[in-house]
Amino acid sequence: METKVLHEITPLGEHDFMYVADRHKQEFTYPIHCHDIFELNFVENAAGCRRVVGDHSEVVGNFDLVLITSPDLEHVWEQHECRSQDIHEVTIQFYIDFDSPTSPFSTNPFLSIHRMLNRAKHGLAFPERAIMMLYPRIIRFSAIKDGFMAVQELFGILYELSKIDDAYELASSAFAKVEVESDSRRVLKVKSFIDSHFKDEIRLEQLSDMVGMTPTAFSRFFHLRTGKSLSEYIVDVRLGYVSRRLVDTADSVSEICYACGFNTLSNFNRLFRKHKGCSPTEFREKYHKTKVII
């Protein structure tokens, strides 16, 4: 299937570290896209616009701040119901090789930033209280003319954001092509098994035996560690793979449904609409109608 995602070529040159765009506009017109470098995007005065990051879609309020660090994660801000005549957007694009063993971001002073950049492979949205705390610094950012001082300020902003404990991930791991993670070895073992066997029937007893717990104790433990029941988590994983295939392939909805572990098409359609707010066909069309080929 021919790709329809706009792969953005950013203005960063070989020896550049960061690009900043500070703009006022009346509407969102840029199509859904992805790019090789990281992006911290701030949007003000755009209540009613819809932010799409991977398979996550959300209508935002007056303030929005999202960090994206995956080169393959499609994203877009759409006009939707936004009626503002003065949308303010500050986009900071940069790149940090934070996964390299020799990178300073693998050392203790940068560990919180490292963890945040890793989470942001899903797309990471910050609550309004965090946005308002950093609002003056973000608004003034484009006025910093000295390159070193601008980089220093970016690191300061990233550090403050890395301390926000209620930032939330957007795209599912399956859609974002991100390896599953957990602080618990038992939960990680179960998540990895589900990720490898999402197409198959997965039973609670099978997973609880895997980690040496009773089904009841494991159900409580899993919910405590993940915030989701086991069945909810399995559905989320399967829907992530479904969404990825809806975007990347021309397979029919029914083919994708059964290939991703759902037993009935009617139940699949109900769950998809409940979780994504639209039908699988509408989801596919929404992605494709805003994409261009370059």
Side-chain angles (χ1 to χ4, degrees):
M1 181 178 182
E2 189 173 28
T3 182
K4 296 184 179 180
V5 179
L6 172 63
H7 190 93
E8 179 184 353
I9 306 300
T10 69
L12 287 179
E14 180 181 359
H15 300 292
D16 296 327
F17 175 80
M18 178 171 55
Y19 164 74
V20 182
D22 189 328
R23 59 181 80 86
H24 289 263
K25 57 189 184 183
Q26 294 184 352
E27 60 180 338
F28 294 94
T29 58
Y30 204 71
I32 195 162
H33 62 284
C34 59
H35 38 68
D36 293 334
I37 60 176
F38 302 168
E39 178 175 288
L40 181 65
N41 199 55
F42 164 80
V43 179
E44 175 184 16
N45 196 27
C49 87
R50 178 166 53 205
R51 182 216 316 122
V52 178
V53 178
D55 55 343
H56 183 277
S57 176
E58 182 177 6
V59 176
V60 306
N62 279 321
F63 299 94
D64 194 39
L65 183 64
V66 169
L67 177 64
I68 297 172
T69 60
S70 169
D72 300 315
L73 187 57
E74 303 93 333
H75 55 280
V76 67
W77 277 255
E78 299 175 329
Q79 194 69 18
H80 193 49
E81 298 177 351
C82 178
R83 301 291 181 264
S84 174
Q85 296 300 301
D86 184 23
I87 301 166
H88 185 201
E89 187 172 40
V90 179
T91 302
I92 305 170
Q93 294 184 334
F94 61 101
Y95 180 72
I96 298 170
D97 185 12
F98 68 94
D99 281 330
S100 169
T102 59
S103 168
F105 286 87
S106 63
T107 61
N108 288 332
F110 294 96
L111 285 183
S112 65
I113 296 179
H114 186 282
R115 285 193 294 267
M116 178 183 68
L117 294 176
N118 197 49
R119 291 184 66 202
K121 292 176 181 178
H122 297 261
L124 195 63
F126 297 93
E128 187 168 326
R129 66 173 184 84
I131 300 173
M132 300 317 298
M133 177 182 69
L134 291 167
Y135 179 85
R137 298 174 70 172
I138 295 172
I139 294 299
R140 293 195 301 264
F141 195 88
S142 63
I144 303 175
K145 302 305 180 185
D146 183 280
F148 179 83
M149 298 304 294
V151 171
Q152 186 178 50
E153 179 66 358
L154 173 62
F155 286 166
I157 291 173
L158 292 176
Y159 176 69
E160 293 298 331
L161 290 175
S162 73
K163 297 191 294 182
I164 304 300
D165 56 11
D166 52 348
Y168 57 99
E169 297 172 9
L170 301 175
S172 66
S173 295
F175 192 96
K177 304 175 185 177
V178 176
E179 292 185 5
V180 294
E181 294 184 333
S182 176
D183 293 333
S184 164
R185 284 180 294 178
R186 285 183 288 189
V187 170
L188 180 59
K189 185 176 183 179
V190 168
K191 281 186 171 184
S192 298
F193 180 86
I194 293 171
D195 197 58
S196 300
H197 297 81
F198 68 93
K199 301 177 183 180
D200 307 323
E201 180 184 2
I202 300 174
R203 295 179 293 105
L204 170 61
E205 293 77 12
Q206 177 185 18
L207 300 179
S208 59
D209 285 346
M210 187 185 303
V211 294
M213 301 176 71
T214 67
T216 301
F218 173 71
S219 292
R220 288 197 297 264
F221 176 75
F222 189 86
H223 190 277
L224 180 65
R225 289 294 186 136
T226 66
K228 298 179 182 179
S229 69
L230 180 62
S231 60
E232 288 172 338
Y233 180 81
I234 292 172
V235 167
D236 283 348
V237 170
R238 287 173 173 164
L239 289 178
Y241 280 103
V242 164
S243 301
R244 186 76 264 171
R245 289 187 63 167
L246 286 169
V247 172
D248 289 348
T249 77
D251 296 345
S252 70
V253 171
S254 60
E255 287 176 320
I256 295 173
C257 160
Y258 296 118
C260 291
F262 293 96
N263 295 323
T264 65
L265 188 59
S266 59
N267 185 53
F268 161 70
N269 283 323
R270 180 184 63 81
L271 287 170
F272 193 95
R273 184 176 289 277
K274 176 183 177 182
H275 286 256
K276 306 300 181 184
C278 62
S279 72
T281 300
E282 290 168 339
F283 180 90
R284 173 178 268 168
E285 290 175 348
K286 179 174 66 175
Y287 255 78
H288 288 179
K289 73 180 182 181
T290 57
K291 296 179 182 180
V292 297
I293 303 171
I294 58 171

